[in-house]
Amino acid sequence: MLDQILTYLSKNQEFLLTSAFNLLIAIVIFYIGRWLALGAARLVSKALLLRKVDRAVVSFLSSIVYAGALIAVALIALSHLGIQTTSFIAILGAAGLAVALALQGSLSNFASGVLIIIFRPFKAGDMVDVAGISGVVERIDIFQTIFKTGDNKKIIVPNSQITGGAIINYSAEARRRIDLVIGISYDSDLRLAKQILTDILAADKRILQDPAPVVAVNALADSAVQLVVRPWVQAENYWPVYWDALEKIKLTFDEQGIEIPFPHMSLQMKKEVKE
């Protein structure tokens, strides 16, 4: 038995040495590749944490990067041993395709969640208008985003619906402009109306003076002279100033005799005279 083993070793010495060397290289490739995969996962994790992404999401994404890199390293190591990896790749591809078809909607939401996390079109606490919903972003998850509306309703929206349309972020900038259109009758004093509007804006300390508020004639409409009133405010003061300005304008116009025209309906009744 020993003689047979020695004979086999002597006849296949070159093959065995080559195989042992290839095995050693494959092991080295695997361990170096594993170290590089860990480094790539850590790099992705640090980059996402710098963007203040939720730690749970960071852990999930870094795990995916590590797993994908490790699979690639394993295939390279097996290929160096002379093992045909084409069949493995085909099996992985078929399995990936089957999973992708089965989870098409979920994968779309996942990809959209990754885009939201990376590019950050909005963050938690922002007031946004997306997918036909207007509300405050409460939480961004990997598959859906949760909003809270002004009347305290919680709405869960799949991420693919968010990235598939326009995103309006009302909180992205520190300042916002209020756009009001005020109509006065042609019989009213235009100069007085403009002065009243200018004084109302100047008296409100919440209105910014840089950029300066704008009060100007916008159109000579069929039944009214239309004035545009455009003050700038801090974003958090937008609605309080909007509502207060409208109320103040109406009350002051009434006091100063400035008429705000409104539609009138005339009803005529014809009386038939019976003979």
Side-chain angles (χ1 to χ4, degrees), residues 25-94:
I25 295 298
I27 293 172
V28 171
I29 289 174
F30 180 78
Y31 277 99
I32 293 177
R34 182 171 174 271
W35 177 75
L36 292 175
L38 285 171
R42 290 194 188 101
L43 186 63
V44 170
S45 179
K46 288 180 180 178
L48 294 175
L49 287 174
L50 286 175
R51 289 178 169 268
K52 298 181 180 179
V53 178
D54 186 82
R55 288 186 176 274
V57 176
V58 171
S59 177
F60 181 74
L61 294 178
S62 60
S63 298
I64 290 178
V65 171
Y66 175 71
L70 196 60
I71 290 173
V73 168
L75 290 174
I76 293 172
L78 291 173
S79 177
H80 194 78
L81 286 174
I83 299 174
Q84 294 295 326
T85 57
T86 307
S87 57
F88 288 101
I89 296 173
I91 293 172
L92 287 174

Side-chain angles (χ1 to χ4, degrees), residues 180-182 200 241-251 260:
L180 300 176
V181 179
I182 307 297
I200 290 174
V241 174
Y242 184 98
W243 294 323
D244 290 347
L246 283 177
E247 181 179 347
K248 188 67 175 176
I249 289 169
K250 174 64 172 67
L251 294 175
I260 300 176

Side-chain angles (χ1 to χ4, degrees), residues 127-192:
M127 176 70 183
V128 298
D129 192 350
V130 296
I133 296 168
S134 183
V136 176
V137 180
E138 191 173 69
R139 192 172 74 249
I140 304 170
D141 291 336
I142 199 66
F143 292 105
Q144 68 266 330
T145 300
I146 300 173
F147 299 89
K148 182 170 286 187
T149 62
D151 55 352
N152 207 31
K153 290 187 295 186
K154 181 180 288 187
I155 302 179
I156 301 173
V157 182
N159 287 331
S160 59
Q161 294 186 18
I162 296 174
T163 56
I167 300 174
I168 302 175
N169 190 337
Y170 298 106
S171 304
E173 302 295 335
R175 297 181 298 181
R176 289 184 62 188
R177 190 184 72 186
I178 298 174
D179 291 346
L180 300 176
V181 179
I182 307 297
I184 65 172
S185 69
Y186 279 91
D187 295 332
S188 298
D189 189 332
L190 176 59
R191 292 187 179 87
L192 176 59

Side-chain angles (χ1 to χ4, degrees), residues 183 185 223-224 250 259-265:
S185 69
S223 59
K250 174 64 172 67
E259 181 184 354
I260 300 176
F262 57 91
H264 293 77
M265 179 181 292

